[in-house]
Amino acid sequence: MKKLIAYISLALLAASAFAKTTGFMLRPNGPLREDKGKGGVEWATTVPEGTELTIEDENPVLLTLITEKERFDNIKFYKVSYDKKTYYARESEVALGKSVTVILSDTTLFSKPAISSFLNAQIEKASLVVAGEKSKNADIDFTEIQYWSGSASEIRKRYVFSEKVSENKKDLEAVRVVDTALALKNKDAEKERAMKQELFKNAKKLNTSDEITEYVQAEYDKIFGRVDLESFLTGKIKSADGSKVNVRKAPVDGEIVAQREDGDEIPAFCARSASKSSYDGITDYWYVYESGEDGLYWIFGGYIEWENDKPIEQEGESERF
C-alpha cells in the first residue's frame, strides 16, 4: 500500500511538472514572435484580442526583440503554443487565467476591492478581460480583472463591480463576431457590406445579455444606421440645462469632434440613425449634423428644438435590424 501511494504521488508530481498554463492575448492585433536565427525574436504572426495561448512555462525568459528599425534587449517573453506552433509572446501583453470574458457596460476601475479605492478611470463596455477572484466588501461584490491598457501599452490588474462582468459565454461570442465584422476588409465594397451585415445578423441571433444586445445594435448603427429623410429639417440647440452639446463621429459614444452652444442654429438635417437610443434619460434618434473629412458627424435629437415639424417616423420602418 505504501508503495502504491508513493507511485501515485510521483505520478501526480510528474503530471504537475508537465501541466500547461492557459493565457490570453489581450493586446488588440496581438503580435507573436519567433526566433529566426538573428540573435533575437521577430514578428511572426498576429492574433485577435482574446486569443487563447498555451503557456509552456510561467517563468518568462529575457530575449532581444528585433523590429524593422531597432533592437530591444532584456524583454520578458512567455514561450507559448498556438495553432500547433511555438512562438514567443510578451509578458506585458498576455494575461494568465482560466477564461476570457467581457465587460457589460462602461464601469469604474478600483485599485482594491473597496469603494474608497476608486480610480479616475473606466473600462469600456464590451472590453475583453480575464476575470480572477471575487471579493466582498461592505456587501458589494468585486471581481479582479486583467485588461489591456492602451495608454500604458500593458496589461493591468484592477477591480470592478462583479455585476459588470458577464458570465454569459454568448456575450463573449457576440463581441468577437462584432470585432470580426469591424475588422473585415474587401476590395469589393458591396461584398464587404454584405459580409459585415451577415456577421452582425449572426451576432444578433445569439442569446446575449441585454447590454450586449444593445452594443451589437449600436455598432451596427454606426456602419449601416443612416436613414435618409424625405425633407430637410432645421432647428437650434436646446440642451436641458443650457450647457454645450456634443457633436460626435458616431451615435451614443462616438468620439467628440465639436461642441455647440445652447441656442446655436444648426444646419438642415437630411438623415438620422436607424434606431432610437436613450441618452441622459432622453430617448430619441441621432441626426447627421454634417459631413466631415473622415465621415458623418452626429448630434442627439433630444437636444434639438425643431423650427419646422419634428420628423415623422416612416410607417413600417423597423428600428432594429
Side-chain angles (χ1 to χ4, degrees):
M1 178 62 72
K2 290 182 179 180
K3 287 186 177 180
L4 178 60
I5 293 174
Y7 287 142
I8 293 174
S9 299
L10 287 172
L12 291 173
L13 285 172
S16 63
F18 289 100
K20 303 296 177 63
T21 301
T22 300
F24 297 91
M25 172 62 73
L26 289 188
R27 175 180 172 178
N29 298 316
L32 297 179
R33 278 90 173 190
E34 63 183 0
D35 187 349
K36 297 183 179 180
K38 298 180 182 179
V41 292
E42 302 176 73
W43 179 90
T45 189
T46 300
V47 296
E49 180 182 10
T51 296
E52 182 175 330
L53 305 170
T54 299
I55 309 298
E56 299 292 341
D57 189 341
E58 289 187 35
N59 298 310
V61 294
L62 295 176
L63 298 172
T64 297
L65 171 61
I66 302 174
T67 67
E68 291 183 357
K69 297 180 179 180
E70 297 181 76
R71 297 170 67 99
F72 301 90
D73 294 325
N74 297 322
I75 304 298
K76 291 184 178 180
F77 284 91
Y78 288 123
K79 187 177 182 180
V80 305
S81 296
Y82 170 71
D83 196 24
K84 299 181 180 180
K85 294 182 180 180
T86 298
Y87 297 100
Y88 291 92
R90 290 191 66 167
E91 179 195 37
S92 60
E93 299 171 350
V94 176
L96 306 186
K98 294 182 179 179
S99 63
V100 67
T101 187
V102 65
I103 296 295
L104 289 173
S105 61
D106 295 355
T107 185
T108 300
L109 294 167
F110 299 85
S111 61
K112 299 177 181 179
I115 289 291
S116 60
S117 71
F118 72 91
L119 301 169
N120 186 25
Q122 284 192 327
I123 185 168
E124 294 181 350
K125 181 177 188 174
S127 296
L128 299 188
V129 301
V130 171
E133 295 183 355
K134 293 185 178 181
S135 305
K136 184 182 285 289
N137 189 316
D139 292 328
I140 299 175
D141 292 321
F142 292 89
T143 297
E144 182 188 61
I145 63 167
Q146 297 177 70
Y147 71 101
W148 174 255
S149 170
S151 59
S153 295
E154 65 178 10
I155 288 174
R156 286 183 168 173
K157 287 186 178 181
R158 296 289 187 264
Y159 291 84
V160 295
F161 296 133
S162 294
E163 64 188 25
K164 301 294 185 177
V165 181
S166 173
E167 296 184 359
N168 183 351
K169 292 183 179 179
K170 295 298 182 182
D171 288 345
L172 174 61
E173 186 177 347
V175 170
R176 281 178 160 162
V177 172
V178 170
D179 287 345
T180 300
L182 296 177
L184 192 151
K185 301 291 182 184
N186 192 293
K187 293 181 179 179
D188 187 321
E190 288 302 316
K191 284 185 178 179
E192 179 180 319
R193 179 183 179 88
M195 292 167 68
K196 286 185 175 182
Q197 286 182 326
E198 186 63 27
L199 285 169
F200 272 103
K201 287 179 181 178
N202 291 338
K204 191 67 179 292
K205 291 177 183 178
L206 298 171
N207 185 24
T208 57
S209 304
D210 290 343
E211 294 90 342
I212 299 303
T213 298
E214 289 300 317
Y215 166 76
V216 173
Q217 180 70 45
E219 293 301 308
Y220 179 88
D221 286 347
K222 290 177 183 179
I223 305 174
F224 307 108
R226 172 174 170 168
V227 175
D228 292 333
L229 301 173
E230 295 181 358
S231 59
F232 288 93
L233 306 165
T234 58
K236 61 182 179 180
I237 301 296
K238 185 64 176 178
S239 62
D241 57 2
S243 60
K244 294 181 180 180
V245 172
N246 296 325
V247 179
R248 297 178 178 269
K249 287 183 67 174
V252 185
D253 58 358
E255 177 187 345
I256 298 172
V257 295
Q259 290 186 315
R260 293 293 177 261
E261 299 281 353
D262 188 60
D264 280 358
E265 292 187 358
I266 49 181
F269 291 99
C270 61
R272 63 162 169 79
S273 59
S275 61
K276 291 181 179 180
S277 59
S278 295
Y279 195 75
D280 284 350
I282 307 170
T283 300
D284 210 322
Y285 293 104
W286 286 75
Y287 289 84
V288 175
Y289 182 80
E290 60 185 351
S291 295
E293 294 180 357
D294 52 352
L296 301 175
Y297 296 160
W298 300 77
I299 196 165
F300 186 50
Y303 299 146
I304 301 170
E305 185 176 80
W306 302 101
E307 293 181 356
N308 48 358
D309 291 335
K310 188 172 182 178
I312 299 174
E313 297 175 23
Q314 300 174 14
E315 292 185 6
E317 181 186 338
S318 174
E319 292 186 1
R320 318 298 282 181
F321 73 93

